[in-house]
Amino acid sequence: MTTLQPPAPARQSPPPPGPACHPARLAADRTTLDRAVRLGAGAALWLSLLLVTCWWVADGGLRTGLSHGAAVLGVGQLSGLVASVLLLAQVVLMARVPVLERAFGQDRLARIHRVVGFVGFDLMVLHVLATTLGYAGGDLLASPGWLWRLTVDYPGMLLAAAGTLCLVLVVVTSVRAARRRLRYESWHLLHLYAYLGVGLALPHQLWTGTQFVGSTARTVFWWTAWALAAGAVLGWRLGLPAYRTLRHDLRVTSVAHEAPGVVSVYVGGRRLDRLPVSAGQFLTWRFLAGPGWSRAHPYSLSAAPDGRSLRITVKDLGDGSRDVARLRPGTRVVVEGPYGRLTARARRRRHVLLVGAGVGITPLRALAEGLECAPGEVVVVHRHSGQPLFARELDVLARERGLHVIDLPGPRGSSYAHDPRALPRLVPDLVHREVYVCGPDAWAAEVSAAVLDAGLSRDHLHVESFRW
């Protein structure tokens, strides 16, 4: 591995276009499929919102008068319908549906999930307030009494109230200020209450919501939507992980120390060549090693899967990651996934740039090993402030596969080479490359901005951060 000193570049001129290689053609086909999935998913959501709005209008939603709170009640009905669609969309987004994971990628799904979740929750709160005020005839002083009566006397409302409290818990712990105070494991467990919250709302909607069962078409629509959401959770979030765990009988085979506070865990099992995981992806891991086994930990593969074993590399960042260093051979492993789009699937160009910081080099090291490439087609930029991870392994890959490795040691901001804006000078042809970035959130955002400012198309930028 070599340390690049400015202003020496990785290449002095853009690579010639050249004929597309076979992997690039496959990636182009997959990109077309992924784009179609994204368009189809977006269209399905917007058409569902349009459909329930049309039903509301057909029921006289726009003709309600202002007397006795009728207009307010109409707003409550519409906000409840839209919130129901968005909450079901939230369930599907949380269900880890493989076709959506491949098409959107985990980071993009997380952003959509956050926006849809907060909008849906706000509309749900508006539904509760507007409906209560509408039944109270617009009288604010009478609203508390009506809220009590609606909750206690109407079918399914007590369950709906419990579901609302679950969703409030999820939303409060999803605010950034709260997330910074929570461990990932605790946040992940609390986040699962969203399933319970949405599920408890079903009886209320079916028993008291005429908009849900007012016609055969509406009944079919809502029951189909609920069935698809429930099926996604049962199939992809519960069934598939259980099946893969039992089928492959995953167990820890060894633990190796890589650097201070960093270990690699090797996992073996049966027929791992049938596990559909790619270099650059991550899985959610549970190690059955005593207390805390139920807590899920998302770790990327640090080596390309070879059909015989899997390797993850973990930095000590908290209680859960600290326990990984004490795992013993033979420990059973439960996995969910694989997830993530930081893979060759997103590649549409022969020439690739991999940019990682610290332990963010983990999936990129696996990707560098797993990519089909000719000598000189892949450049790896690794910024680190301490002992570099996988230095020997990257040296071997450089010699055997022709990778060009740019090593950037030292504290962040300590030199020209650590400024993300220097990337276009370090790798002058980056606008002609497929660029993959992985590292801390703020740093990854700076690198992304730098390469986009240099002229790289956003379609050729793929980012995975440590945000959750």
Side-chain angles (χ1 to χ4, degrees), residues 395-417:
D395 275 339
V396 171
L397 290 174
R399 290 195 302 269
E400 294 182 351
R401 309 199 64 209
L403 274 63
H404 184 74
V405 180
I406 301 175
D407 190 28
L408 303 178
R412 183 180 176 188
S414 60
S415 68
Y416 161 96

Side-chain angles (χ1 to χ4, degrees), residues 242-369:
Y243 167 75
R244 286 177 175 168
T245 297
L246 293 174
R247 181 189 190 192
H248 298 294
D249 190 25
L250 299 173
R251 297 173 185 266
V252 173
T253 57
S254 63
V255 178
H257 290 270
E258 301 284 357
V262 181
V263 298
S264 286
V265 179
Y266 293 81
V267 175
R270 295 193 302 258
R271 305 178 71 179
L272 292 186
D273 58 311
R274 300 294 183 91
L275 183 65
V277 59
S278 301
Q281 289 189 302
F282 70 93
L283 298 96
T284 300
W285 304 77
R286 290 180 174 86
F287 300 100
L288 309 187
W293 67 268
S294 62
R295 298 170 185 163
H297 310 277
Y299 298 131
S300 298
L301 297 183
S302 59
D306 58 8
R308 299 184 300 275
S309 67
L310 304 173
R311 186 183 78 174
I312 58 174
T313 300
V314 181
K315 184 176 182 179
D316 182 359
L317 297 174
D319 292 344
S321 54
R322 185 178 301 121
D323 293 339
V324 172
R326 295 192 285 268
L327 291 174
R328 296 183 177 182
T331 300
R332 289 181 177 273
V333 183
V334 177
V335 297
E336 295 178 34
Y339 307 127
R341 204 165 179 269
L342 209 69
T343 68
R345 182 183 184 88
R347 179 187 182 189
R348 286 183 288 166
R349 290 174 169 174
R350 292 168 48 221
H351 293 78
V352 176
L353 171 62
L354 310 177
V355 188
V359 76
I361 197 65
T362 297
L364 302 183
R365 181 257 174 260
L367 187 57
E369 181 183 13

Side-chain angles (χ1 to χ4, degrees), residues 8-147:
R11 289 178 64 99
Q12 296 293 340
S13 58
C21 60
H22 183 58
R25 289 200 302 272
L26 286 177
D29 294 339
R30 291 167 178 167
T31 299
T32 301
L33 175 61
D34 291 343
R35 185 181 294 112
V37 170
R38 291 194 294 269
L39 289 174
L45 177 58
W46 284 109
L47 287 174
S48 298
L49 293 172
L50 178 62
L51 182 60
V52 298
T53 303
C54 288
W55 281 334
W56 175 78
V57 172
D59 286 344
L62 295 179
R63 299 193 299 272
T64 55
L66 296 178
S67 60
H68 307 295
V72 180
L73 189 59
V75 170
Q77 291 173 343
L78 178 60
S79 59
L81 290 169
V82 175
S84 297
V85 173
L86 294 181
L87 289 175
L88 287 175
Q90 278 290 86
V91 172
V92 175
L93 289 172
M94 294 170 61
R96 310 292 198 185
V97 181
V99 67
L100 296 179
E101 291 280 340
R102 289 192 295 265
F104 287 92
Q106 186 60 211
D107 277 8
R108 193 169 178 180
L109 273 182
R111 290 194 297 271
I112 297 171
H113 170 79
R114 184 175 179 82
V115 172
V116 171
F118 278 112
V119 172
F121 177 78
D122 291 343
L123 289 172
M124 183 191 70
V125 173
L126 176 61
H127 164 67
V128 173
L129 297 177
T131 301
T132 302
L133 185 59
Y135 273 98
D139 186 351
L140 286 174
L141 295 179
S143 295
W146 268 102
L147 180 60

Side-chain angles (χ1 to χ4, degrees), residues 151-242:
T151 303
V152 174
D153 297 337
Y154 279 64
M157 287 299 297
L158 282 174
L159 293 178
T164 300
L165 291 178
C166 291
L167 293 174
V168 168
L169 176 64
V170 171
V171 170
V172 169
T173 55
S174 296
V175 176
R176 292 192 185 278
R179 288 165 63 185
R180 285 194 293 265
R181 296 175 179 271
L182 290 172
R183 296 181 306 174
Y184 171 83
E185 298 87 348
S186 301
W187 173 86
H188 183 269
L189 182 61
L190 290 171
H191 215 61
L192 296 179
Y193 278 90
Y195 292 126
L196 179 61
V198 175
L200 290 174
L202 177 59
H204 148 64
Q205 293 174 342
L206 297 181
W207 292 340
T208 64
T210 57
Q211 291 281 349
F212 292 88
V213 293
S215 68
T216 301
R218 299 180 199 193
T219 302
V220 170
F221 171 81
W222 285 110
W223 275 106
T224 300
W226 275 98
L228 290 175
V233 173
L234 294 175
W236 304 118
R237 197 69 192 261
L238 299 176
L240 185 61

